[in-house]
Amino acid sequence: MTSTHHGMKWLLLADIRQGKLLKCSVTKHKRCHVEEFDTLLNDLPKHEQVESATTRNKRSETSGIDGRSDKEDLKHFVRQLSHWLPGVLRQHAIEKMVVVAPSRLLGELRETLDHELKSHCELKQGEWTHLSIRELTEHPAVHKLLGLDES
């Protein structure tokens, strides 16, 4: 017998461009179901500005890598996430969510999120924002989170 809490997880997939809130659950046929609920886009689109600057100064830049502006962009987006998350947690009555993000973003989240918000978030390293809903429903790590990996 699977409890309703065991068969459902909230996921927040994040990278420097966006955060996607997903609800993952187990169907009565023991299949994974993933549904997207909300998206937060970084309102400081540095990657587009860097791209246009790269075409102008091609010789002086290395494929869009600029540590300082990337770090500032990262900090800005994490602040955006930390303002957005409390409302999302309340709106969907989320007790606990798994946050999957690249290590640099996770490090910034650990530094920035207040204690109350951290207590609702389980941080895991990964880069999943590019995955489709279908790819997520078949992802072994999502199955493991939902307890579907038990044979």
Side-chain angles (χ1 to χ4, degrees):
M1 283 188 215
T2 310
S3 75
T4 53
H5 296 296
H6 179 68
M8 198 267 293
K9 293 281 184 185
W10 287 95
L11 281 181
L12 176 65
L13 309 183
D15 62 19
I16 196 155
R17 292 180 302 274
Q18 65 181 333
K20 288 197 277 189
L21 178 68
L22 307 167
K23 184 167 100 173
C24 304
S25 56
V26 179
T27 68
K28 65 182 179 181
H29 300 292
K30 301 230 185 259
R31 293 197 183 280
C32 179
H33 176 76
V34 178
E35 190 175 350
E36 189 169 334
F37 271 75
D38 211 344
T39 302
L40 174 69
L41 296 176
N42 188 338
D43 64 10
L44 213 180
K46 281 255 193 241
H47 53 280
E48 290 174 13
Q49 294 168 7
V50 169
E51 227 172 79
S52 61
T54 303
T55 55
R56 283 195 303 271
N57 308 343
K58 208 159 195 133
R59 283 176 288 161
S60 65
E61 294 193 10
T62 55
S63 57
I65 298 169
D66 178 357
R68 186 169 166 267
S69 68
D70 278 355
K71 184 144 177 86
E72 288 172 9
D73 198 17
L74 184 67
K75 285 180 178 290
H76 174 81
F77 187 56
V78 167
R79 280 194 303 272
Q80 238 186 297
L81 277 171
S82 66
H83 291 298
W84 179 68
L85 281 174
V88 166
L89 292 172
R90 266 191 316 277
Q91 180 184 354
H92 300 290
I94 299 171
E95 298 275 329
K96 197 82 166 158
M97 79 168 50
V98 178
V99 179
V100 180
S103 57
R104 285 182 59 209
L105 186 64
L106 289 178
E108 198 59 44
L109 281 168
R110 282 186 188 99
E111 286 181 31
T112 306
L113 293 181
D114 65 37
H115 180 72
E116 174 64 24
L117 206 46
K118 276 185 197 172
S119 68
H120 293 281
C121 299
E122 179 185 338
L123 305 178
K124 291 191 175 285
Q125 184 179 345
E127 297 188 27
W128 294 4
T129 55
H130 67 283
L131 297 176
S132 70
I133 295 293
R134 182 179 179 94
E135 289 170 316
L136 287 165
T137 62
E138 297 169 357
H139 200 290
V142 174
H143 283 216
K144 186 175 181 177
L145 281 173
L146 293 170
L148 286 173
D149 63 339
E150 301 155 9
S151 301

